Structure formats: C-alpha cells, structure tokens
Amino acid sequence: MDDVLQNIMDHAVAVAREAGQVVREALCDEKQRDVMTKSSTVDLVTQTDQRVEHLIIQSVKKKFPTHRFIGEESVAAGEACVLTDDPTWIIDPIDGTTNFVHSFPFVAVSIGFSVDKKIQFGVVYSCLEDKMFTARRVKEHSVTENHLMLFSSISDVRRSIIATEFGSNRETETVEKIFSSLRNILNIPVHGVRGAGTAAVNMCLVASGCVEAYYEVGVHVWDVAAGSVIVEEAGGVLMDVEGGPVDLMSRRIVAANNGTVAHIVKEIDAFSPTRDDAPPTQ
Ligand SMILES: O=P([O-])([O-])O[C@@H]1[C@@H](O)[C@H](O)[C@@H](O)[C@H](O)[C@@H]1O
Ligand SMILES: [Mg+2]
Ligand SMILES: [Mg+2]
C-alpha cells in the first residue's frame, strides 16, 4: 500500500499546486470573485470555488476512477456527505473564501484522503503564501513544509497564542457562545488570539509552532480533514471541544501542540451544530 498511497499523495500535491495557480490568477479578476451565498449572507462562495473543486475531482477521476469524493461545493449542490471505507478525497477547494473575496492573504486548497474512514494523508496549500504543508500517517512524524518552524513546546497556556474563527453563523445564540468562549480564553490570560480566516491554515499554524492551539465550533469535515493529520504527524493532539476524541464530522475541533494546552476545552462554551453526515432534512 505504501507505494500506492505515495502515488496518490503525489497526485494530491500536484493537483493542489495546480489549483493554487488557478486561485492566484482568479484573484486578479473581480468577476471570478463575484460573491454568492450559501447557509447565511456571510457564508460566501464564488465560481472559482466551484471551478477549482471541479478541476481537482476531474483530475483525480482520470487517475483513480474508483475513488469517492466529499467536496465542499458538491455537498452544497446536494451531494451526500457520507464517509465510507472506500478511498475518499475530502476537498475544500478554497478554504478561506471570504479572504479570497477580500484579497486577504490566507487562502488554502485543502485535500484530505481517507481509507477505512481514517485520514491517511493531508495536503494544505496556502497558495498566496506559496506554502505547501503535507503529512502522511505513518509511524514516524512525516510533516513536510518548506518553511516549517520548530513545533511549539509551550505547555503553559498563559504563554500561548490561541487561534479561532468567528465562522459564518450570525444567529444570536451562536454569536453569544462564540464570544463567551473568546472571553474565557482571553481571561486565562493568553498572550493573544489570532485567526487566519481558514481552518486549514490555522491547523498548519499549530503544526508549525506559530500558535499553540486552534479551536472552532462550526467547521466542516472538508475544512479540517487534511489539517488533522498534519497536526497529529507534527506531534500535536486533536480533541473534541468538550474533551474526548475528535469526530471530524461533528463540526467541533481543538487542535493543540500538546495535551496540556488542549485543556483550553474547559473554557469553550460548546454547542452542537448539525453534523456534516446528518441525514438531509425532509
Ligand atoms: O468556507 P471556507 O472558506 O471554505 O471555510 C471557512 C473555514 O475555514 C473557517 O474556519 C470558518 O470559520 C469559515 O466560516 C469558513 O467555513
Ligand atoms: Mg473551508
Ligand atoms: Mg471552502
């Protein structure tokens, strides 16, 4: 399986880089950043998100015709978000669409690959920074990135920077929960709170020692699938926001450099969005 998996991963890296070039070119063309909305007026999508996802899926289908897909924009168009044991590509064609629309410099192509419901490798290409983060689930740590800094060994959360996002749900109750968690984290106190505007890049910031932890409630499996293996293979830990094992379909995640910092979970005012794999409502 090793050579076969490496061949698949090599293709993921190549198609992520190709997709990143499409994103960079689209950034220069207002039309290709025209905004449409999905679950809320601030949950943005553009024709470029859709075009990049199509490019990736068609490229993979040619080489690996039996593989399955979970793509953010395919799910938005009505495809089921169901993870089977089959080889499955979990794709966020543009993670950080709001950043893309506003030319804010953190925009990633995120590709996770699953077999037997386990993420085998992750590829996150931060395409405006031209940083390619990859990791493959093997015994030894396998994270590669051309700018990887030292993984953070900080275990005192009062000396940490924590990353999070405000998401795209503006319902009063959700916003209250988000600010309640933010207040609790800030009052630890931590050195700072940051957000790149993309879950995948936030997780790569954990893996590269730039922040000590990232948490969010409201993400989707395509936001975090690739980053999950990049964090773990860098030596980090994943957890649910209330502690316990992470469930990538639950829309809740903590990614931390170590188990001590992961205890920020006790500060998070958790809630449970509708799961990614929930049956469609009639
Ligand atoms: O939509 P997208 O840009 O692919 O992904 C984004 C995530 O990376 C981010 O963590 C979340 O807060 C945003 O609401 C959005 O979901
Ligand atoms: Mg995303
Ligand atoms: Mg996206």
Side-chain angles (χ1 to χ4, degrees):
M1 180 65 177
D2 270 5
D3 290 349
V4 170
L5 190 62
Q6 192 56 52
N7 181 34
I8 297 168
M9 185 170 173
D10 292 346
H11 188 76
V13 171
V15 75
R17 201 174 287 284
E18 183 187 350
Q21 179 59 25
V22 172
V23 173
R24 283 193 295 267
E25 287 165 4
L27 207 66
C28 312
D29 176 355
E30 288 262 321
K31 270 197 324 310
Q32 296 186 61
R33 287 189 284 137
D34 275 354
V35 168
M36 297 171 278
T37 58
K38 295 189 290 188
S39 63
S40 77
T41 57
V42 296
D43 183 10
L44 310 184
V45 62
T46 70
Q47 59 168 289
T48 306
D49 296 72
Q50 295 161 342
R51 189 152 63 87
V52 166
E53 183 165 311
H54 181 75
L55 175 155
I56 295 170
I57 290 176
Q58 292 313 310
S59 165
V60 170
K61 276 185 173 171
K62 272 202 207 98
K63 220 169 160 177
F64 309 106
T66 61
H67 288 188
R68 299 171 71 119
F69 302 93
I70 292 176
E72 176 179 6
E73 307 316 337
S74 303
V75 172
E79 286 198 15
C81 180
V82 176
L83 190 58
T84 67
D85 290 342
D86 294 342
T88 305
W89 295 65
I90 304 173
I91 302 165
D92 191 337
I94 297 184
D95 191 43
T97 296
T98 302
N99 291 353
F100 169 68
V101 166
H102 291 270
S103 306
F104 189 78
F106 298 106
V107 179
V109 177
S110 182
I111 300 173
F113 181 73
S114 168
V115 177
D116 297 335
K117 295 193 184 73
K118 199 165 172 55
I119 311 295
Q120 302 296 323
F121 68 72
V123 172
V124 173
Y125 182 41
S126 178
C127 52
L128 304 191
E129 298 180 280
D130 189 22
K131 283 186 179 179
M132 180 71 76
F133 296 86
T134 67
R136 183 176 154 185
R137 195 174 300 284
V138 285
K139 287 175 283 305
E140 71 278 358
H141 294 168
S142 68
V143 180
T144 64
E145 202 284 322
N146 40 355
H147 311 277
L148 199 58
M149 295 149 73
L150 270 182
F151 187 63
S152 168
S153 58
I154 287 172
S155 56
D156 179 351
V157 68
R158 290 164 304 175
R159 294 178 49 229
S160 72
I161 287 185
I162 305 296
T164 192
E165 299 294 335
F166 299 119
S168 50
N169 182 322
R170 294 291 185 271
E171 288 163 18
T172 305
E173 195 183 331
T174 300
V175 171
E176 281 310 309
K177 290 268 186 189
I178 289 169
F179 275 95
S180 161
S181 301
L182 194 55
R183 186 183 308 112
N184 295 343
I185 297 275
L186 278 173
N187 287 338
I188 289 175
V190 295
H191 277 181
V193 175
R194 301 288 185 274
T198 134
V201 169
N202 286 330
M203 293 178 85
C204 292
L205 290 171
V206 174
S208 44
C210 302
V211 303
E212 280 62 52
Y214 156 68
Y215 74 92
E216 188 172 351
V217 180
V219 285
H220 294 278
V221 60
W222 44 79
D223 293 314
V224 298
S228 69
V229 67
I230 290 170
V231 167
E232 287 188 310
E233 287 305 308
V237 296
L238 301 176
M239 204 177 270
D240 176 64
V241 291
E242 288 185 277
V246 72
D247 173 348
L248 296 184
M249 287 284 181
S250 69
R251 302 188 59 199
R252 303 168 16 140
I253 194 160
V254 173
N257 62 335
N258 57 54
T260 312
V261 171
H263 281 119
I264 59 167
V265 292
K266 65 182 186 302
E267 308 298 343
I268 297 171
D269 193 353
F271 58 98
S272 300
T274 304
R275 294 174 57 87
D276 280 325
D277 56 0
T281 47
Q282 300 307 331

